[in-house]
Amino acid sequence: MYKLIIDAMGGDHAPQAIIDGVVMALREYADIFVYLVGKQEVIDHCLQNQEYDKERLEIVDARDEIEMAEPPVKAVRTKKDASMVVGMQMAAEGKGDVFITAGSTGAVVAGGTLIIRRAPQVFRPALAPRLPSAKGGVLLIDCGANIDCKPAFLQQFAIMGSIYMKTVMGIENPRVGLINNGAEEEKGNSLTKEAYQLLKTSDINFVGNAEGRDILSGNYDVVVCDGFVGNVLMKFMEGCATFLFGMIKEELLSSTRTKIGAALAKPAFSDLKKKLDYTEYGGALLLGTNTGVIKAHGSSNAKAIKNAIRQAREFTKMELVEKIKQELTTAQKEIE
Amino acid sequence: MYKLIIDAMGGDHAPQAIIDGVVMALREYADIFVYLVGKQEVIDHCLQNQEYDKERLEIVDARDEIEMAEPPVKAVRTKKDASMVVGMQMAAEGKGDVFITAGSTGAVVAGGTLIIRRAPQVFRPALAPRLPSAKGGVLLIDCGANIDCKPAFLQQFAIMGSIYMKTVMGIENPRVGLINNGAEEEKGNSLTKEAYQLLKTSDINFVGNAEGRDILSGNYDVVVCDGFVGNVLMKFMEGCATFLFGMIKEELLSSTRTKIGAALAKPAFSDLKKKLDYTEYGGALLLGTNTGVIKAHGSSNAKAIKNAIRQAREFTKMELVEKIKQELTTAQKEIE
């Protein structure tokens, strides 16, 4: 039985969307047990009239919540009875295999480090979402947990990302790229130049620098950068898509002919939307903590939560956390 | 008469596309004089049978070329007879108002600093392309000239970008955003946190941090970042567009219905392509040098070159270089 600890109160559509997602998952997967953390009476209310296996759900009462705008470190330290803090505390105590929340990213990162804690040998846990690409998808690591990084952090991000893509996504020999301002080895800022040298000697399939235009090309399974660059890139991708679809819509509505064309082409756009839909991709992983952590998108609906649970199940099954610990310990020994 | 020095040999489609663009511009603008720098006989050949005012064109013979893959600083230092070096030397000697090239970006930046030289008070010249946005366009500065930056560099980029958008683009009070990993003042890496404080006290319309998703929103006229982030972002935008259009095409070809829709909607896509076409936007400016420099896109066609010339003409007319020198001197005095 996979034991999942889920924050019922985090996210724009919490608690209903979270609880609906949990119910969907309980029905679909017979091998999961869920601890649902949040206000007992609120959760009870959301569960009313829902059909699921009650033996596999336990509500853990937590009276407080962390708001999106709160300074995360302070919130995690002081709000001892917040659903996220209570859930993470349970994870730290080994009561579950994975902790899932759609709450504040800052609080997830702070709590991951302060409560669940780093796995041995890990310098810094890193946040890693899967982005769509021309061939399947690409893991972007770090996308915002570590704003200022050292070269050795990037090396570990690459190793952890690589293990994830191999273990959970089943990619034989994941191709790792270093996000950089040029393809040539000598390109880069002081951080990426040093990181390049470390990656070259790492026991991963490092295929060199990834320029901006290649990130989504399908030529990489993992792309590595510091959390500042990753955060800006991830949000810029959203901005580019909004901008381009806005422009397309405007152009399509500009004449009767194109309006008719747009109406006929509509199924194509719906399919595309589905392919780009983050809810299909599950959540971002926080890699490098002692227990698995998944940060679902803030605006997660029930399906996104269900998919995050599917993802959590897969990565528990594949013993991702254990494998990261082992490989980083081996890598560390090799350095020493 | 605006005097323009143009590298005939730089770019994927040089020399023909460059020379065709020059001929188009000479016909359209009666107030420009062009020095065309490159191999005399090659240029002569490309000019054959073309109609233009021969009084306003002078060929400057240069026997060498800088290749795209060459280490730029070395190339600029050793290839004294390369068209780019000869042209920049002329610019340094005050023989023209603006130097235009579609050649290697690295060489443009190296030559801008080593040959044309920085304007007084400028820490580092910066490369600034105009990107399309939901409302008109946004100037991205720096997009690759300065990979490792200090906070004061970013402050100057903001001031120079602001002057450009006001002077040349006629925007009253350009809104300047600092590209950052969060909207709040306290967000950022060590560079952007310090830059934020400098920008707050600068005599520009600083409107705060710009998150990735807002860069193209139309809420900013200028967005500032270091050259590493700018380079990755600019190329990532290209990658996102390629990826999205590829996906759209694939979906549109997936059924007969959507194929018919696509055929009807085609004019909309053509119009959109035109709106996103970099050749309409002119080249990237190298701001902060003693003479104006425009770096046209490497794959510039004749129209792109003609538009870069239009841009050069506008910014000479508006005395951009002089204004930057004046304002940075004033800003410097205020600090002292």
Side-chain angles (χ1 to χ4, degrees), chain A residues 151 154-155 178 190-200:
Chain A
L154 266 60
Q155 182 189 23
L178 174 66
S190 51
L191 173 67
T192 57
K193 276 181 194 164
E194 280 189 58
Y196 191 101
Q197 297 309 316
L198 294 176
L199 289 169
K200 240 174 51 171

Side-chain angles (χ1 to χ4, degrees), chain B residues 213-229:
Chain B
R213 68 169 68 88
D214 284 333
I215 293 172
L216 306 180
S217 65
N219 293 335
Y220 304 95
D221 302 301
V222 178
V223 285
V224 178
C225 59
D226 68 51
F228 181 88
V229 170

Side-chain angles (χ1 to χ4, degrees), chain B residues 262-327:
Chain B
L264 287 166
K266 207 172 178 187
F269 285 103
S270 307
D271 283 353
L272 177 60
K273 224 172 167 183
K274 205 175 156 191
K275 278 195 190 161
L276 297 178
D277 186 0
Y278 68 88
T279 65
E280 298 282 341
Y281 277 78
L285 306 158
L286 186 66
L287 293 178
T289 48
N290 255 322
T291 304
V293 176
I294 292 178
K295 160 70 182 96
H297 200 290
S299 48
S300 287
N301 58 17
K303 191 176 70 177
I305 296 298
K306 196 207 78 178
N307 282 332
I309 292 172
R310 183 196 66 204
Q311 198 180 10
R313 212 175 134 260
E314 280 159 10
F315 97 55
T316 309
K317 190 164 141 194
M318 296 304 183
E319 297 178 322
L320 181 70
V321 173
E322 280 315 305
K323 278 181 186 144
I324 287 177
K325 286 182 194 172
Q326 277 166 23
E327 289 219 23

Side-chain angles (χ1 to χ4, degrees), chain B residues 5-7 35 37 60-62 66 75-100 107-108 110-117 290-293:
Chain B
I5 304 163
I6 300 176
D7 175 6
Y35 292 102
V37 189
V60 179
D61 193 40
I66 295 179
V76 163
R77 283 210 167 112
T78 56
K79 289 192 155 178
K80 296 292 177 199
D81 203 25
S83 56
M84 201 191 288
V85 175
V86 171
M88 284 191 162
Q89 196 59 50
M90 290 174 67
E93 291 162 8
K95 289 185 180 152
D97 301 305
V98 178
F99 173 71
I100 299 173
V108 173
T113 308
L114 296 171
I115 303 174
I116 302 188
R117 295 187 179 278
N290 255 322
T291 304
V293 176

Side-chain angles (χ1 to χ4, degrees), chain B residues 45-75:
Chain B
H45 179 80
C46 293
L47 282 170
Q48 263 177 11
N49 304 325
Q50 303 234 41
E51 275 179 42
Y52 61 95
D53 178 359
K54 295 185 176 54
E55 298 292 308
R56 292 189 285 117
L57 179 76
E58 183 177 326
I59 299 170
V60 179
D61 193 40
R63 309 303 307 168
D64 211 347
E65 281 171 49
I66 295 179
E67 308 292 333
M68 293 308 276
E70 282 184 86
V73 173
K74 198 185 152 203

Side-chain angles (χ1 to χ4, degrees), chain B residues 97-149:
Chain B
D97 301 305
V98 178
F99 173 71
I100 299 173
T101 180
S104 140
T105 306
V108 173
V109 172
T113 308
L114 296 171
I115 303 174
I116 302 188
R117 295 187 179 278
R118 290 176 286 148
Q121 311 294 353
V122 170
F123 299 127
R124 295 283 187 282
L127 210 55
R130 243 177 90 225
L131 307 180
S133 83
K135 290 169 204 144
V138 57
L139 193 78
L140 174 69
I141 182 167
D142 174 31
C143 99
N146 308 282
I147 299 308
D148 288 295
C149 284

